């Protein structure tokens, strides 16, 4: 079973205490013995709790004990962090403060840790008497292929054809169609299927997808519409000018506008104000959980009320969730499975969540009798939820899934509630936040990043996280949380005091600022300035998370409020808040592990950044082309990830060996990518370089980067030298690249296609992305052997005309993406051998025809291999193909 949540918190605290002894010797002088005694006591408590977790059922009493342990852990962490901050302040201002680390730690041991340990022993003795030492049954975690999750839709055929019929029916005036139904029925899924339908895309050259949500913002809606018509920044327009501009754009155009999740008639009326009733070429498709919204949107047509699945469809969907098809369910499970499906009242979300529970019991290696017993247990546990309204029942089913989560996944799952509705959550960001928050327990032989990725895959396989976007080789890049699952996470977070959303209710902050003291994490989806104006204080707050749809400017007078009011912060995610300059006061937050900042024009990262000794992840959003790093990153021992789009210029004067922990440096300036840098940061896994790559290519030597897997090279010349003769003429030899390089991106390098022969010799290469004239010229002859292990090739914005390839080239190529290659005549037919995915956008008709020939060839091969397994081929033809000017705005998948 592994450590429980309480034992996991103790594991994290133990590591923190050990790190204090290692990294803060100058601050804890004389307290080493007390810290060692504290470690010993925490280790004993952890062992006791882990043993109890394996022995007893985890009932409410057990969970309450874990909650109390977590609170003690928080108290200990706060006390130690506050003590270190006070000692640091005393040293820096050279005056006496009555702070004694030895005395503080001793007090912690005597008044917090020891009493908690004594209470544990007494309570578990009582628990043993009550339960009789009943053992929990072992659980086996089973991975599920997340690709199965993408196209499983059951029961929408009639609805889809009906609504498409409405949309294709010509009218004299604007037509509005509504889909209504309770959460979890699949309104958005159906609307998105229709949005992608080929007949719809050919009929409507302008299609716009907008998620409205409960937090309606008319400016966001109107700006999204305008992005379809113009690349200019329209955010500077006044509200009235914005409305008039949108109205003019939509007045005569043939368009389809999807408004997903409209909550109120008032919201609809605001959007309706920019729509011309006289434009019969316009169609609007609305989804809403409120019937009166659909009724008011079109009084001439009743809303299409989405039906529940029947028992046959419910059973089909459950089989697809668990097995991926309708053929593999063992005979002995069919009756039980059909019974489980029948209990779901035809709600797809309920079926999907239950499928996530059942899949972990369906591993083929397990005895059939064991699997059957587990399915029977699920069937019996679903029955109690038959009473009550369906929305409550969905939450109860989510709870059933939550109760079966391994302990190490629970905090990661509940944490998903901090994000707003329909928020696109980058998986890179999510996993780094999990690490910074201390949710992950170390495992021998695995990095914290690997553990986080495993947790992410596990939550996806249990259908508790939705895949929103994947890259061509199947990695999840962006995920989302269903509204009902998010609601459950918020309820659970309130129970555990994990986080609190700060919002405004009738003009008043909710909860009031006076209650901030008791919360550990604060999240903001709006109202930040109002909150800071109230001068909050939160000595227990560890995380400050801001998630606005669009970045907002923060009044400079509030910049100092955050570090002053929340001095023990570990996480400051403020990427959606614009600072007018680098907020130097944040460098006083010496406990920070994760920080994101948005500064429009940033020239320097100051030396004081070095004071953030605990920093693991630094993310800086800026429009600057380069940034000078004056901080000494070679002394920041915990720093693992530096991420920005600007090229960072390192200060050569700094020395140190802390770079061994760096995993991500994105991006670096070419002049800073030296042999010495490669030696210091030899464990880098991802490296991005931006600037004049001539500097890099002349002396590139990355053989010391033996762990580097991803390399991104952006040639970005200063404006004053953009037309100089100093051009890239050659690529470095293959031996100059990292020895185990898997992914390479080249942008704006303007190399001749003949130099592709250099990259073709990098046998470890699996993904190659060529962007914005990475290679230029009329023809590319890819003949002979090369790119032996390349799985994915992406080419965007190239002037290539003729592309020749041989059977020996790209023997492993499974995915090809071509966008904005307007001169390309044909895609080589020989590439069809192994291709599984072909995506094209903005290609001329002859190139599109060649893509269809590849599709036909793959279909013929599929037919010839009847009965033998062969991967399905998928051709995606996007906007700008076959003379179409169609541009799609909507959810990215």
């Amino acid at each position: 079973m592994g450590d429980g949540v309480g034992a996991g918190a103790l594991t994290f605290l133990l590591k923190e205490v050990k790190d204090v002894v290692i990294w803060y010797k100058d601050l804890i002088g004389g307290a080493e013995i007390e810290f060692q005694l504290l470690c010993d006591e925490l280790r004993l408590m952890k062992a006791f709790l882990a043993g109890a977790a394996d022995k007893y059922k985890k009932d409410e009493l057990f969970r309450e004990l874990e909650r109390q342990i977590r609170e003690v852990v928080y108290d200990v962490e706060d006390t130690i962090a506050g003590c270190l901050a006070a000692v640091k302040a005393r040293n820096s201002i050279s005056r006496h403060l009555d702070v004694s680390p030895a005395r503080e730690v001793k007090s912690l041991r005597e008044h917090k840790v020891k009493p908690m340990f004594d209470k544990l022993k007494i309570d578990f003795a009582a628990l043993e008497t009550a339960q009789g030492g009943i053992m929990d049954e072992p659980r086996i975690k089973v991975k599920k292929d997340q690709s199965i999750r993408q196209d499983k839709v059951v029961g929408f055929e009639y609805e889809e054809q009906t609504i498409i019929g409405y949309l294709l029916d010509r009218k004299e005036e604007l037509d509005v169609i509504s889909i209504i139904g309770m959460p979890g029925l699949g309104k958005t899924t159906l609307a998105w299927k229709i949005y992608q339908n080929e007949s719809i895309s050919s009929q409507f050259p302008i299609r716009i997808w907008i998620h409205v949500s409960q937090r309606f913002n008319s400016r966001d809606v109107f700006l999204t519409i305008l992005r379809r018509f113009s690349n200019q920044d329209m955010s500077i327009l006044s509200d009235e000018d914005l409305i008039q501009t949108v109205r003019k754009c939509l007045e005569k155009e043939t368009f389809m506008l999807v408004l997903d999740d409209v909550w109120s008639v008032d919201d609809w009326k605001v959007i309706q104000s920019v729509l011309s009733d006289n434009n019969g070429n316009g169609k609007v498709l609305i989804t809403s959980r409120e019937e009166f919204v659909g009724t008011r949107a079109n009084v001439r047509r009743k809303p299409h009320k989405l039906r529940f699945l029947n028992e046959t469809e419910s059973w089909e969907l459950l089989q697809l969730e668990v097995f991926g098809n309708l053929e593999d369910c063992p005979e002995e499970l069919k009756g039980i499975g059909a019974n489980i499906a029948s209990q779901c009242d035809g709600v797809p979300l309920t079926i999907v969540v239950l499928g996530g529970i059942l899949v972990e019991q369906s591993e083929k290696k397990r005895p059939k009798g064991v699997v059957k017993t587990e399915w029977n247990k699920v069937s019996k546990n679903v029955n109690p939820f038959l009473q009550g309204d369906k929305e409550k029942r969905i939450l109860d089913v989510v709870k059933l899934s939550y109760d079966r989560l391994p302990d190490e996944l629970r905090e990661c799952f509940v944490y998903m509630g901090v994000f707003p509705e329909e928020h696109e959550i980058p998986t890179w960001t999510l996993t780094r936040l999990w690490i910074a928050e201390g949710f992950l327990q170390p495992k021998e032989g695995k990095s914290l990043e690997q553990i986080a990725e495993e947790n992410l895959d596990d939550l996806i396989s249990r259908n508790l996280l939705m895949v929103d976007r994947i890259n061509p080789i199947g990695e999840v890049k962006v995920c989302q949380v269903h509204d009902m699952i998010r609601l459950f996470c918020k309820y659970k977070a309130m129970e555990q005091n994990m986080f609190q959303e700060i919002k405004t209710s009738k003009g008043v902050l909710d909860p009031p600022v006076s209650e901030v003291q008791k919360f550990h994490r604060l999240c903001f989806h709006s109202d930040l300035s109002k909150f800071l104006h109230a001068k909050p204080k939160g000595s227990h707050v560890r995380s400050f998370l801001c998630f606005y749809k669009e970045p907002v400017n923060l009044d400079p007078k509030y910049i100092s409020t955050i570090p002053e009011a929340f001095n023990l912060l570990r996480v400051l995610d403020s990427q959606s808040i614009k600072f007018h300059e680098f907020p130097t006061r944040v460098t006083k937050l010496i406990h920070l592990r994760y920080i994101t900042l948005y500064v429009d024009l940033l020239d320097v990262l100051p030396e004081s950044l070095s004071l953030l000794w605990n920093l693991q992840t630094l993310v800086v959003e800026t429009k600057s082309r380069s940034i000078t790093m004056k901080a000494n990153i070679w002394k920041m021992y915990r720093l693992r990830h530096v991420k920005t789009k600007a090229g960072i210029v390192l200060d050569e004067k700094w020395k140190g060996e802390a770079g061994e922990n760096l995993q991500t440096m994105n991006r670096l300036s070419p002049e800073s990518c030296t042999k010495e840098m490669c030696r210091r940061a030899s464990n880098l896994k991802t490296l991005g370089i931006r600037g004049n790559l001539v500097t890099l290519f002349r002396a590139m030597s990355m053989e010391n980067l033996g762990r580097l897997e991803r390399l991104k090279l952006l040639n970005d010349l200063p404006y004053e030298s953009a037309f100089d003769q100093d051009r890239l003429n050659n690529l470095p030899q293959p031996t100059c690249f990292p020895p185990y390089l898997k992914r390479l991106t080249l942008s704006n390098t303007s190399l001749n296609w003949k130099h592709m022969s250099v990259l073709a010799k990098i046998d470890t290469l699996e993904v190659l992305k060529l962007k914005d004239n990475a290679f230029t010229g009329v023809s590319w002859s890819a003949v002979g052997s090369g790119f032996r292990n390349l799985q994915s090739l992406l080419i965007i914005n190239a002037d290539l005309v003729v592309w020749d390839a041989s059977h020996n080239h790209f023997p492993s190529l499974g995915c090809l993406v071509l966008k904005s290659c307007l001169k390309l005549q044909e895609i080589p037919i020989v590439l069809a051998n192994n291709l599984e995915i072909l995506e094209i956008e903005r290609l001329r008709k002859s190139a599109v025809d060649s893509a269809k020939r590849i599709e036909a060839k793959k279909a013929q091969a599929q037919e010839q291999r009847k009965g033998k397994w062969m991967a399905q081929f998928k051709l995606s033809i996007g906007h700008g193909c076959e003379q179409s000017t169609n541009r799609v705005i909507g959810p990215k998948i």
Side-chain angles (χ1 to χ4, degrees):
M1 179 182 297
D3 288 352
V5 174
L10 287 169
T11 300
F12 182 77
L13 177 57
L14 255 174
K15 185 177 186 305
E16 288 297 293
V17 175
K18 290 177 180 176
D19 284 348
V20 167
V21 175
I22 295 173
W23 304 119
Y24 302 125
K25 289 180 180 179
D26 57 329
L27 297 183
I28 65 165
E32 291 85 355
I33 294 176
E34 287 296 338
F35 271 94
Q36 186 57 54
L37 290 171
L38 177 60
C39 280
D40 293 342
E41 290 168 0
L42 292 173
R43 196 178 294 109
L44 284 172
M45 190 189 299
K46 177 194 167 189
F48 180 85
L49 188 61
D54 285 334
K55 186 176 182 183
Y56 304 116
K57 284 185 176 179
K58 296 193 174 181
D59 60 8
E60 289 305 314
L61 175 59
F62 193 99
R63 294 300 179 197
E64 174 58 22
L65 289 172
E66 287 194 319
R67 188 193 66 77
Q68 293 175 16
I69 292 168
R70 191 186 296 111
E71 290 302 317
V72 169
V73 168
Y74 284 152
D75 285 345
V76 174
E77 289 175 347
D78 286 351
T79 303
I80 293 176
C83 180
L84 291 175
V87 173
K88 179 65 179 175
R90 179 188 65 194
N91 293 348
S92 64
I93 62 180
S94 302
R95 63 184 176 89
H96 176 70
L97 290 176
D98 188 20
V99 179
S100 167
R103 185 172 62 245
E104 295 288 343
V105 174
K106 183 177 181 180
S107 178
L108 279 175
R109 290 177 44 240
E110 294 177 349
H111 298 108
K112 294 286 185 181
V113 178
K114 188 176 184 301
M116 186 70 238
F117 198 4
D118 291 341
K119 186 178 187 303
L120 278 179
K121 294 174 185 176
I122 294 170
D123 288 346
F124 275 118
L127 189 62
E128 183 170 9
T129 302
Q131 292 189 358
I134 301 173
M135 299 290 286
D136 231 0
E137 293 187 13
R139 298 174 187 166
I140 298 177
K141 181 171 70 176
V142 181
K143 294 288 181 184
K144 185 176 79 168
D145 182 3
Q146 62 198 31
S147 64
I148 295 173
R149 185 76 186 90
Q150 299 301 308
D151 299 309
K152 299 192 294 293
V153 179
V154 172
F156 282 160
E157 292 81 5
Y158 171 76
E159 279 83 356
E160 183 179 5
Q161 292 308 313
T162 299
I163 294 170
I164 287 176
Y166 292 152
L167 291 167
L168 297 180
D169 186 20
R170 292 192 175 274
K171 298 280 186 180
E172 295 296 322
E173 54 195 18
L174 181 78
D175 195 16
V176 181
I177 302 99
S178 303
I179 304 172
I180 63 170
M182 62 165 282
L185 276 185
K187 301 182 294 297
T188 300
T189 302
L190 174 59
W192 182 240
K193 274 178 65 68
I194 294 167
Y195 185 81
Q196 289 184 302
N197 184 276
E198 188 174 342
S199 60
I200 293 297
S201 63
S202 61
Q203 176 68 27
F204 296 98
I206 299 174
R207 291 178 295 153
I208 309 168
W209 180 286
I210 296 174
H211 181 78
V212 179
S213 84
Q214 193 171 8
R215 294 179 175 277
F216 174 68
N217 185 309
S218 60
R219 284 190 66 87
D220 287 346
V221 171
F222 297 151
L223 287 171
T224 301
I225 293 173
L226 288 181
R227 288 189 195 107
R228 171 59 185 89
F229 297 93
S230 173
N231 292 324
Q232 295 181 4
D233 182 8
M234 298 292 186
S235 62
I236 60 174
L237 296 177
S238 67
D239 288 350
E240 184 58 35
D241 288 342
L242 192 59
I243 290 171
Q244 294 300 329
T245 306
V246 174
R247 185 179 289 135
K248 187 174 182 180
C249 287
L250 296 178
E251 194 170 17
K252 297 180 181 179
E253 290 284 358
T254 299
F255 69 89
M256 173 186 171
L257 173 64
V258 179
L259 302 171
D260 182 39
D261 201 16
V262 180
W263 277 71
S264 75
V265 172
D266 289 340
D267 295 347
W268 158 246
K269 286 181 177 178
V270 173
I271 301 172
Q272 188 182 30
S273 68
V274 301
L275 302 171
S276 171
D277 287 335
N278 298 323
N279 184 2
N281 295 322
K283 298 283 185 178
V284 180
L285 179 61
I286 292 175
T287 74
S288 177
R289 60 185 68 184
E290 303 294 347
E291 186 168 356
F292 61 85
V293 172
T295 303
R296 293 291 297 274
N298 189 344
V299 296
R300 293 182 293 274
R301 178 190 290 119
K302 288 184 177 181
H304 186 91
K305 192 168 185 177
L306 204 56
R307 67 180 178 85
F308 297 94
L309 301 181
N310 61 38
E311 290 192 3
T312 300
E313 292 166 338
S314 297
W315 174 223
E316 285 182 3
L317 181 57
L318 188 62
Q319 289 179 84
L320 290 174
E321 288 297 331
V322 178
F323 303 106
N325 56 58
L326 302 179
E327 291 81 39
D328 286 351
C329 180
E331 197 65 36
E332 65 273 9
L333 296 180
K334 288 183 177 179
I336 308 169
N339 180 48
I340 292 172
S342 70
Q343 297 180 53
C344 294
D345 283 350
V347 180
L349 178 62
T350 306
I351 297 167
V352 165
V353 173
L354 283 173
I357 296 173
L358 295 175
V359 74
E360 64 174 317
Q361 307 299 338
S362 304
E363 189 188 30
K364 294 179 181 179
K365 295 179 181 178
R366 300 189 71 195
K368 293 181 180 179
V370 173
V371 175
K372 185 175 180 179
T373 299
E374 293 297 331
W375 278 46
N376 270 318
K377 285 182 182 179
V378 173
S379 177
K380 291 174 182 177
N381 282 326
V382 173
N383 277 318
F385 304 143
L386 285 171
Q387 305 301 320
D389 65 82
K390 289 184 174 66
E391 288 194 24
K392 180 180 181 300
R393 183 169 175 197
I394 293 176
L395 293 175
D396 287 336
V397 171
V398 177
K399 181 180 184 302
L400 183 64
S401 190
Y402 170 81
D403 289 341
R404 298 179 68 89
L405 283 177
D407 291 310
E408 63 268 18
L409 272 180
R410 292 190 172 202
E411 289 183 308
C412 292
F413 171 60
V414 175
Y415 190 73
M416 305 304 300
V418 303
F419 299 100
E421 293 178 69
E422 296 295 322
H423 187 75
E424 293 186 349
I425 309 168
T427 55
W428 190 94
T429 298
L430 177 61
T431 52
R432 272 62 187 178
L433 281 170
W434 281 346
I435 292 169
E437 296 283 12
F439 294 154
L440 307 182
Q441 300 172 35
K443 295 179 182 177
E444 189 174 350
K446 293 183 178 180
S447 68
L448 290 174
E449 286 77 11
Q450 288 174 312
I451 298 168
E453 288 169 7
E454 289 175 0
N455 285 4
L456 181 78
D457 291 342
D458 206 340
L459 289 174
I460 290 171
S461 72
R462 296 169 187 271
N463 296 330
L464 295 175
L465 266 181
M466 299 186 297
V467 174
D468 187 58
R469 199 183 312 162
I470 59 175
N471 64 16
I473 61 172
E475 292 178 327
V476 180
K477 304 300 290 183
V478 178
C479 57
Q480 282 194 15
V481 184
H482 190 282
D483 287 350
M484 296 302 290
I485 292 178
R486 177 179 173 272
L487 186 60
F488 173 85
C489 290
K490 291 185 69 176
Y491 285 151
K492 188 58 66 174
M494 289 177 65
E495 289 179 11
Q496 300 176 355
N497 193 19
M498 178 180 278
F499 64 82
Q500 177 65 47
E501 180 184 346
I502 306 295
K503 51 190 175 183
T504 300
S505 177
K506 297 181 180 179
V508 179
L509 286 171
D510 179 26
V513 171
S514 58
E515 294 185 18
V516 168
Q517 284 281 0
K518 64 185 182 183
F519 302 126
H520 298 296
R521 297 175 183 87
L522 303 179
C523 56
F524 299 83
H525 306 156
S526 62
D527 306 315
L528 177 62
S529 293
K530 186 180 184 71
F531 173 76
L532 295 177
H533 179 72
K535 298 182 179 179
K537 286 288 183 181
S539 58
H540 295 290
V541 175
R542 287 169 170 67
S543 300
F544 201 91
L545 305 148
C546 304
F547 302 107
Y548 286 75
K549 285 187 176 179
E550 298 288 340
V552 296
N553 289 299
L554 182 65
D555 192 316
K557 67 184 179 183
Y558 295 133
I559 291 176
S560 63
T561 304
I562 298 174
E564 289 173 0
F566 310 103
N567 63 316
L568 298 184
L569 281 184
R570 291 179 183 166
V571 172
L572 176 56
D573 192 329
S574 59
Q575 192 164 341
S576 58
I577 306 299
K578 283 188 179 182
F579 296 95
H580 70 283
E581 61 183 6
F582 183 89
T584 54
R585 287 179 180 262
V586 303
T587 59
K588 294 183 178 181
L589 298 171
I590 64 171
H591 302 289
L592 271 182
R593 297 175 185 157
Y594 179 102
I595 183 171
T596 63
L597 297 172
Y598 190 134
V599 184
D600 258 343
L601 298 174
L602 181 66
D603 297 325
V604 174
L605 287 168
E607 185 174 343
S608 57
L609 193 70
S610 307
L611 298 175
L612 300 180
W613 305 322
N614 290 296
L615 195 63
Q616 299 171 347
T617 300
L618 170 64
V619 180
V620 178
E621 185 72 28
T622 182
K623 295 177 182 177
S624 298
R625 299 159 68 96
S626 66
I627 302 173
T628 299
M629 173 71 81
K630 291 194 174 181
N632 184 3
I633 64 171
W634 310 119
K635 286 290 186 181
M636 301 173 72
Y637 288 95
R638 289 188 172 185
L639 191 61
R640 304 161 77 89
H641 307 284
V642 178
K643 195 171 185 181
T644 181
K645 293 181 179 178
I648 295 177
V649 181
L650 298 177
D651 193 329
E652 294 183 1
K653 72 179 181 182
W654 294 120
K655 307 297 179 185
E657 300 299 326
E660 64 182 15
N661 290 320
L662 272 174
Q663 296 183 28
T664 304
M665 178 61 77
N666 195 15
R667 303 170 174 161
L668 200 61
S669 66
E671 56 266 33
S672 292
C673 189
T674 61
K675 284 188 177 181
E676 180 61 16
M677 189 286 302
C678 293
R679 183 192 67 79
R680 287 178 174 177
S682 59
N683 291 319
L684 275 174
K685 293 183 178 179
T686 299
L687 174 61
I689 301 174
R690 174 180 180 174
N692 187 348
L693 295 185
V694 171
T695 306
L696 178 72
F697 286 1
R698 281 175 178 168
M700 190 168 103
S701 180
M702 296 187 181
E703 54 268 29
N704 286 336
L705 299 178
R707 295 178 180 266
L708 193 76
E709 296 182 353
R710 304 182 186 214
L711 179 61
K712 301 178 182 180
L713 303 176
L714 168 59
N715 191 47
D716 185 26
L717 297 176
Y719 294 118
E720 61 271 13
S721 62
F723 298 99
D724 287 352
Q725 297 301 311
D726 195 12
R727 296 295 190 202
L728 291 167
N729 295 316
N730 292 290
L731 273 169
Q733 290 303 302
T735 54
C736 297
F737 286 89
Y740 299 104
L741 185 65
K742 292 183 178 180
R743 306 180 186 199
L744 176 63
T745 300
L746 294 174
S747 300
N748 198 36
T749 44
S750 299
L751 292 155
N752 190 289
W753 285 105
K754 67 181 182 181
H755 297 307
M756 282 289 286
S757 60
V758 174
L759 302 183
K761 296 175 184 177
I762 304 177
D763 289 339
T764 57
L765 206 58
E766 296 177 358
V767 177
L768 178 59
K769 298 181 180 181
L770 309 175
K771 300 180 179 180
D772 299 327
N773 292 311
F775 286 80
T776 59
V778 173
S779 66
W780 173 20
S781 180
V783 295
S785 60
F787 293 109
R788 291 196 309 172
N789 293 297
L790 194 70
Q791 300 171 21
S792 178
L793 174 61
L794 177 146
I795 305 176
I796 297 179
N797 193 16
D799 59 2
L800 181 64
V801 178
V802 179
W803 180 8
D804 292 323
S806 66
H807 290 279
N808 296 10
H809 237 66
F810 312 112
S812 304
L813 191 65
C815 175
L816 175 62
V817 179
L818 300 171
K819 297 182 180 181
S820 298
C821 299
L822 300 175
K823 297 180 181 180
L824 182 64
Q825 293 179 346
E826 287 186 340
I827 304 170
I829 192 72
V830 296
L831 298 179
N833 292 343
N834 296 300
L835 270 187
E836 297 175 13
I837 298 172
L838 176 56
E839 296 181 12
I840 58 175
E841 281 184 15
R842 293 183 59 78
L843 297 189
R844 65 196 301 176
K845 189 175 185 304
S846 61
V848 176
D849 290 341
S850 67
K852 291 180 177 179
R853 286 195 293 273
I854 290 175
E855 183 181 38
K857 183 175 180 180
K858 297 296 288 190
Q860 184 181 22
Q862 186 81 42
E863 182 67 24
Q864 292 173 350
R865 292 176 63 97
K866 282 184 189 175
K868 296 181 181 180
W869 185 89
M870 182 177 179
Q872 283 292 118
F873 175 77
K874 182 177 181 181
L875 170 63
S876 298
I877 301 178
H879 64 276
C881 291
E882 298 182 301
Q883 311 308 313
S884 170
T885 57
N886 192 25
R887 184 185 175 199
V888 179
I889 296 178
K892 297 183 177 114
I893 60 171

